[in-house]
Amino acid sequence: MGELIAGHTGKRNRLESAPIQRRTRTVDRHTKAGILCAGIAAPSADNSQPWRFAWSGDDLDLRIDAGRSGGVSDTRYVLSDLAAGACLENMIIHARSLGYVADLQTFPRHEDELWVARIRWRRDPECDQVEPLAGAIEQRHTDRSFPWRGPITTATQARLDAQAREIPGQRLYWPQAPRERKAALGVIRQAETLRFRSPTLHAELFSSIRFATGWHTACEEGLAPATLAVEPPLRPVFQAMRRPAVMTMLNRLGAASVLGWRSAWLPIRLSPGLCLLVIPSTARSDVLAGGRALQRVWLEATLNGLSVQPYAAAGVLSLGFVPVEPAFQQPLSRLGSAMHDLCAPGYGLVFLRFGYARSALRARSGRRAPASFGASP
Ligand SMILES: Cc1cc2nc3c(=O)[nH]c(=O)nc-3n(C[C@H](O)[C@H](O)[C@H](O)COP(=O)(O)O)c2cc1C
């Protein structure tokens, strides 16, 4: 694809797979380590952290980690590309705050599907841009608690919109009218319900939860139960549901619907803000750009004191290429039509619920050690 993007200003030029030239090094080890830490602080579906880094002088290669990507919901790397976009944006924002700009070549080799970007960092003496978002990189986190207070003012909403639009082609859709909000809630609930009904999606979901860490501690990879906001009396049942036989039995009693209601419908109903990230096409470069926009919106929300929980199942399943059992193909195509009615033109990919939390978050997801991402500066 060979596309060069300067910083996040949206200027794009074609680049004919340019050979990477040798240059003098300008980025010191400390700065490189800081850039990687900023990238690793990004969110990823199920806290999979599917990133690999490699330095070559001042150039940094960002790749998708083959061992932590490509699961059922990550068909065509949609979730990994979103996480890569968020990681990229964190690094760009952090570097800009230190006076570096990024020349970005996305998907440099068409045949190498895991190679997401090559970033050339250069010092820009004229870069005196203040980067307020940089201050939110370490604070940003997922909050699954509820209820949350509001309202979210139109000024705050406009700031979030503006951050999404910083990345060309990206936008937020806010279901405002009761009819729109009802439709949005409907698709999210259907998708979350499917995650418990389909054996394939159920296995994927529960394999990412690290029950061995218990209900009070964080873990450095995957989802710690402590971050899931499951009420104490329900924890033993939730834990038992990881067994397919138990889930199947409980589904006969309507468990999947109840879980869809509890995990999505209720928290969203009790949150003052809901929006949907809409990308212009499902090309990987647009999904990557969507991840960058997602991260800018999330950082801005953090600066504004807002809690955020993303919901990606509705968007990803509605794209129509996640291979679920034949029995669930029809609900999937209904989901696709409903999402299209909601936000066309474009593809709704990730819902975000917002609000002001009543109390501080108890547990946050951890990260693996930087060395495990493959890069030594
Ligand atoms: C592409 C993407 C999809 C996500 N989907 C969901 C989701 O459907 N539900 C949810 O509760 N969190 C979702 N998350 C949040 C991740 O689980 C979270 O980022 C990860 O566990 C790391 O935690 P942190 O955000 O607190 O650093 C998603 C994040 C990303 C980047």
Side-chain angles (χ1 to χ4, degrees), residues 168-346:
Q170 310 299 310
R171 70 180 169 96
L172 297 181
Y173 161 71
W174 298 81
Q176 302 277 26
R179 184 184 51 81
E180 294 171 337
R181 226 176 133 91
K182 192 173 165 203
L185 268 169
V187 293
I188 302 169
R189 184 180 173 180
Q190 276 172 45
E192 297 297 324
T193 302
L194 263 179
R195 295 178 85 189
F196 296 98
R197 280 180 67 210
S198 150
T200 307
L201 297 177
H202 164 270
E204 184 180 53
L205 172 64
F206 277 85
S207 68
S208 66
I209 305 175
R210 303 296 154 99
F211 286 107
T213 61
W215 288 91
H216 302 288
T217 40
C219 56
E220 63 168 28
E221 190 174 12
L223 295 172
T227 65
L228 298 180
V230 179
E231 293 80 0
L234 298 179
R235 288 173 186 173
V237 184
F238 184 75
Q239 190 157 347
M241 281 176 189
R242 76 187 142 158
R243 297 204 187 86
V246 174
M247 192 75 246
T248 306
M249 197 245 313
L250 291 174
N251 275 346
R252 288 201 197 102
L253 306 170
S257 299
V258 176
L259 288 162
W261 173 84
R262 162 59 188 82
S263 64
W265 193 92
L266 187 64
I268 294 171
R269 277 293 298 203
L270 298 178
S271 302
L274 177 69
C275 75
L276 173 62
L277 173 74
V278 183
I279 63 172
S281 84
T282 56
R284 288 190 64 188
S285 52
D286 277 330
V287 179
L288 185 74
R292 296 182 65 191
L294 172 75
Q295 187 64 2
R296 295 190 72 82
V297 171
W298 203 334
L299 293 174
E300 180 68 41
T302 304
L303 280 184
N304 284 261
L306 286 165
S307 281
V308 179
Q309 181 181 7
Y311 288 89
V316 170
L317 294 177
S318 73
L319 296 178
F321 44 68
V322 172
V324 290
E325 295 80 1
F328 301 106
Q329 285 300 343
Q330 215 174 6
L332 273 202
S333 66
R334 278 202 300 270
L335 203 60
S337 314
M339 280 291 273
H340 178 267
D341 292 347
L342 206 59
C343 65

